[in-house]
């Protein structure tokens, strides 16, 4: 492709930065907000690595105007956030006007700053009053009507202010909160593996019902798109062997396809059903399949890392192992090639379906002496955005990218020990915000995109300059 053509690769492309309510808002009991399952989970000794919680977090609830201005100054066009369910609906099902007013002010501030909103309806903070013996959270079929009522309230109040909606963020992760032996996420109420698959069923049906509601009552009048975001680790058959290729495909189908296939085709992959066996939770009626089929306008991709798969001997066994150098989080290694493989896999499996990278980012440790001079994070972004540019130029249906994350925040069981932000937050003193080198790199990159000269920025490796971060000071 000629150079003059590639300069327009990012025309109409979405560039955003991502957050979530429990991780940044704080104000956990302000304005009529009810507790969430994460408020409860954090109070259990030993669940969070540093014993912390999200009760204050970044105090975004009180500082959102300052934070929106920082995001605007970086040059982003979109801002991803989530609406806290227990902040806007009380235990008797009535709207909490003070909580709704907060989000109304937030959307007004985003509009004033020229930032479009991408809103996640469920980013893990289920109201505690829906995780009870009577209604055991996502294990209960009754949860669908509760979620749809919450979604309807959000659509009624805010659909004219939101560019795109995401029903659920990483449902495979919060499903683990109902699996025996897995203690890394709320609500940590253990069920046998087979029973816990009811969570997957109820989430998918709630998604389909919510999308049907949005399309019938709100989308035509107010516009906007709606999708689903999944956590996606790519599995790469590194040795090209038949065994590794088959196993990598199986892993992709049973980790990604088991959520994406139903909202595209209406049913689970055959390999997933075969692996799980004859389980009622995985059987949809024809009516349910029809409602699920095509129930996304876009598929959200949370990509951070990849794993390699290779043959282990000649008997068909395989070995799975991490790819790329380590980061500040044990599960995350930088492997940009995995993003390339993932985008190609998705584009081939779900033809013509719009794809949006809703999270992609790098972790450093809280005690990193070069926290502001975060060259490793800059390199992670630079290398992954080079893959994004190549995918767009190649004609893959990639429509947007959101960096994770805007602020250093509460990283779930990692507490405040793991830092993903492009803006440093001083959690030890006054929550002061200080842009990191990665923030200024994004500022430079976004300017280059507007000028059609992003290739030069993507080609320029950033060198470590300890003690001299220039504008980071």
């Amino acid at each position: 492709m000629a150079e003059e053509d590639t300069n327009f690769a990012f025309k109409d492309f979405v560039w955003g930065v991502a957050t979530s309510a429990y991780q940044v808002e704080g104000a956990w009991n302000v304005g009529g907000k009810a507790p969430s399952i994460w408020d409860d989970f954090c109070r259990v000794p030993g669940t969070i690595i540093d014993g912390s919680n999200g009760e204050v977090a970044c105090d975004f609830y009180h500082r959102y105007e300052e934070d929106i201005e920082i995001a605007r100054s970086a040059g982003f066009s979109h801002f991803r956030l989530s609406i806290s369910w227990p902040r806007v609906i009380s235990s008797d099902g009535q709207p909490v006007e003070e909580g709704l007013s907060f989000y109304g002010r937030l959307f007004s501030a985003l509009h004033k700053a020229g930032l479009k909103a991408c809103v996640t309806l469920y980013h893990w903070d289920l109201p505690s009053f829906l995780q009870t013996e009577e209604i055991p959270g996502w294990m209960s079929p009754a949860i669908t009507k509760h979620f749809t009522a919450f979604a309807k309230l959000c659509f009624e109040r805010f659909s004219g202010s939101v560019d795109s909606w995401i029903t659920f963020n990483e449902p495979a992760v919060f499903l683990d909160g109902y699996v025996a032996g897995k203690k890394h996420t709320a609500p940590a109420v253990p069920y046998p593996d087979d029973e816990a698959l009811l969570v997957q069923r109820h989430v998918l049906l709630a998604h389909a019902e919510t999308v049907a509601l949005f399309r019938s009552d709100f989308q035509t009048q107010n516009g906007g798109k709606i999708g689903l975001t999944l956590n996606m680790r790519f599995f790469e058959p590194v040795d090209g062997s038949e065994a590794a290729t088959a196993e990598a495909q199986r892993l992709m189908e049973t980790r990604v396809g088991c959520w994406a296939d139903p909202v595209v085709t209406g049913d689970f992959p055959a390999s997933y059903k075969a692996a799980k066996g004859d389980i009622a939770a995985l059987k949809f009626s024809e009516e349910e399949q029809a409602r699920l089929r095509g129930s996304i306008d876009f598929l959200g991709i949370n990509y951070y890392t990849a794993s390699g798969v290779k043959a282990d001997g000649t008997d068909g066994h395989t070995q799975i192992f991490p790819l790329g150098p380590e980061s500040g989080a044990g599960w995350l290694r930088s492997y940009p090639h995995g993003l390339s493989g993932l985008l190609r896999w998705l584009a081939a499996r779900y033809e013509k379906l719009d794809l949006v990278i809703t999270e992609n980012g790098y972790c450093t440790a809280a005690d990193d002496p070069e926290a502001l001079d975060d060259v490793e994070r800059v390199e992670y972004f630079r290398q992954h955005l080079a893959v994004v540019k190549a995918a767009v130029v190649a004609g893959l249906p990639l429509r947007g990218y959101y960096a994770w994350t805007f602020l250093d925040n509460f990283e779930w069981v990692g507490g405040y020990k793991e830092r993903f932000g492009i803006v440093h937050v001083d959690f030890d003193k006054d929550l002061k915000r200080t842009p990191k080198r990665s923030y200024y790199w994004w500022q430079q990159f976004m300017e280059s995109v507007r000028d059609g000269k992003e290739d030069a920025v993507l080609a320029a490796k950033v060198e470590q300059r300890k003690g001299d971060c220039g504008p980071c000071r």
Side-chain angles (χ1 to χ4, degrees):
M1 181 177 284
E3 178 61 29
E4 60 267 27
D5 293 328
T6 65
N7 285 341
F8 297 98
F10 289 133
K11 186 178 184 296
D12 299 324
F13 196 81
V14 167
W15 291 106
V17 66
T19 64
S20 88
Y22 190 78
Q23 293 179 272
V24 300
E25 281 183 5
W28 75 282
N29 61 352
V30 171
K33 180 185 174 296
S36 77
I37 58 173
W38 268 91
D39 291 313
D40 302 334
F41 185 65
C42 290
R43 295 191 183 100
V44 178
T47 57
I48 310 302
I49 192 170
D50 57 2
S52 63
N53 56 57
E55 293 182 4
V56 176
C58 306
D59 197 27
F60 180 78
Y61 184 90
H62 295 108
R63 298 171 182 242
Y64 68 89
E65 291 178 306
E66 171 193 357
D67 292 333
I68 288 171
E69 174 57 25
I70 296 172
R72 184 204 64 78
S73 296
F76 293 109
S77 61
H78 286 63
F79 191 94
R80 182 183 171 207
L81 61 112
S82 69
I83 293 178
S84 172
W85 188 345
R87 194 180 292 286
V88 299
I89 289 186
S90 62
S91 58
D92 61 3
Q94 296 302 305
V96 179
E97 293 300 334
E98 192 167 343
L100 291 162
S101 178
F102 161 68
Y103 290 111
R105 296 192 303 273
L106 174 56
F107 290 130
S108 294
L110 288 169
H111 178 74
K112 184 178 179 180
L115 290 166
K116 294 182 179 181
C118 171
V119 174
T120 306
L121 288 168
Y122 188 78
H123 204 125
W124 306 357
D125 47 353
L126 182 72
S128 299
F129 58 75
L130 292 177
Q131 183 64 53
T132 64
E133 288 188 11
E134 181 182 357
I135 305 176
W138 290 103
M139 288 293 293
S140 171
I143 199 68
T144 299
K145 68 176 183 179
H146 288 286
F147 180 77
T148 307
F150 161 58
K152 183 178 181 181
L153 175 64
C154 294
F155 295 153
E156 288 174 340
R157 298 297 184 97
F158 307 126
S159 62
S161 302
V162 175
D163 185 64
S164 57
W165 297 88
I166 296 167
T167 53
F168 294 95
N169 180 79
E170 299 187 354
V173 175
F174 68 81
L175 184 153
D176 280 350
Y178 297 88
V179 176
K182 296 189 176 182
K183 301 179 180 180
H184 62 274
T185 189
V189 179
Y191 292 87
D193 287 7
D194 291 354
E195 287 186 38
L197 289 175
L198 282 170
V199 173
Q200 184 170 20
R201 175 181 183 82
H202 298 152
V203 167
L204 287 168
L205 292 178
H207 163 84
E209 191 71 23
T210 299
V211 171
L213 170 69
F214 177 72
R215 288 176 172 172
S216 65
D217 294 0
F218 300 96
Q219 192 171 41
T220 300
Q221 180 179 351
N222 296 314
K225 295 183 177 182
I226 192 164
L228 172 70
T229 280
L230 307 176
N231 52 306
M232 301 190 192
R233 174 188 294 260
F234 185 65
F235 291 90
E236 181 174 299
V238 296
D239 62 1
S241 67
E242 183 176 338
T245 300
E247 177 64 4
Q249 178 67 14
R250 187 193 69 82
L251 287 166
M252 292 301 298
E253 289 180 355
T254 56
R255 303 287 183 90
V256 176
C258 71
W259 292 98
D261 274 26
V263 297
V264 176
T265 70
D267 202 2
F268 297 104
S271 59
Y272 186 65
K273 291 191 287 187
K276 297 300 182 182
D278 187 26
I279 297 176
L282 301 184
K283 296 177 181 178
F284 293 122
S285 68
E286 290 185 7
E287 181 181 352
E288 289 168 340
Q289 287 190 21
R291 181 147 286 198
L292 278 164
R293 190 177 301 118
S295 61
I296 50 173
D297 298 326
F298 66 91
L299 180 62
I301 301 164
N302 287 359
Y303 173 82
Y304 291 92
T305 194
S307 293
V309 184
K310 65 180 180 180
D312 187 6
T314 59
D315 56 0
H317 289 92
T318 55
Q319 179 183 350
I320 302 171
F321 55 95
L323 295 170
E326 296 179 349
S327 73
W331 58 270
L332 196 165
R333 293 174 178 244
S334 179
Y335 192 68
H337 187 66
L339 177 59
S340 178
L342 175 62
L343 292 173
R344 292 195 304 271
W345 189 87
L346 292 169
R349 190 172 183 88
Y350 310 114
E351 291 184 27
K352 299 181 181 179
L353 176 63
D354 284 354
L355 307 173
V356 177
I357 296 171
T358 42
E359 289 182 24
N360 180 238
Y362 185 82
C363 181
T364 53
D367 58 359
D368 183 355
E370 301 297 330
L372 296 180
D373 194 12
D374 56 340
V375 171
E376 293 87 354
R377 181 172 291 108
V378 173
E379 278 299 287
Y380 182 95
F381 282 133
R382 184 184 69 82
Q383 293 170 13
H384 284 77
L385 290 178
V387 171
V388 168
K389 173 67 183 284
V392 172
V393 171
L396 298 186
L398 182 60
R399 310 302 181 202
Y401 176 102
Y402 290 82
W404 184 269
T405 181
F406 176 47
L407 302 169
D408 286 339
N409 59 30
F410 177 77
E411 281 295 337
W412 309 113
V413 293
Y416 299 98
K417 293 290 188 181
E418 298 177 353
R419 305 292 175 89
F420 280 82
I422 62 173
V423 176
H424 178 269
V425 178
D426 190 342
F427 294 108
D428 295 325
K429 295 181 181 178
D430 56 1
L431 299 177
K432 178 183 177 182
R433 277 73 160 140
T434 305
K436 304 178 186 180
R437 181 183 294 279
S438 56
Y439 172 90
Y440 293 106
W441 183 88
W442 268 105
Q443 203 172 49
Q444 178 188 19
F445 175 72
M446 290 310 305
E447 183 177 353
S448 74
V449 167
R450 289 190 294 272
D451 294 338
K453 299 178 179 179
E454 67 275 358
D455 287 347
V457 177
L458 293 175
K461 182 177 180 180
V462 180
E463 301 295 337
Q464 185 83 34
R465 293 187 294 167
K466 293 183 180 295
D468 179 21
C469 191
C472 305
R473 291 181 170 180

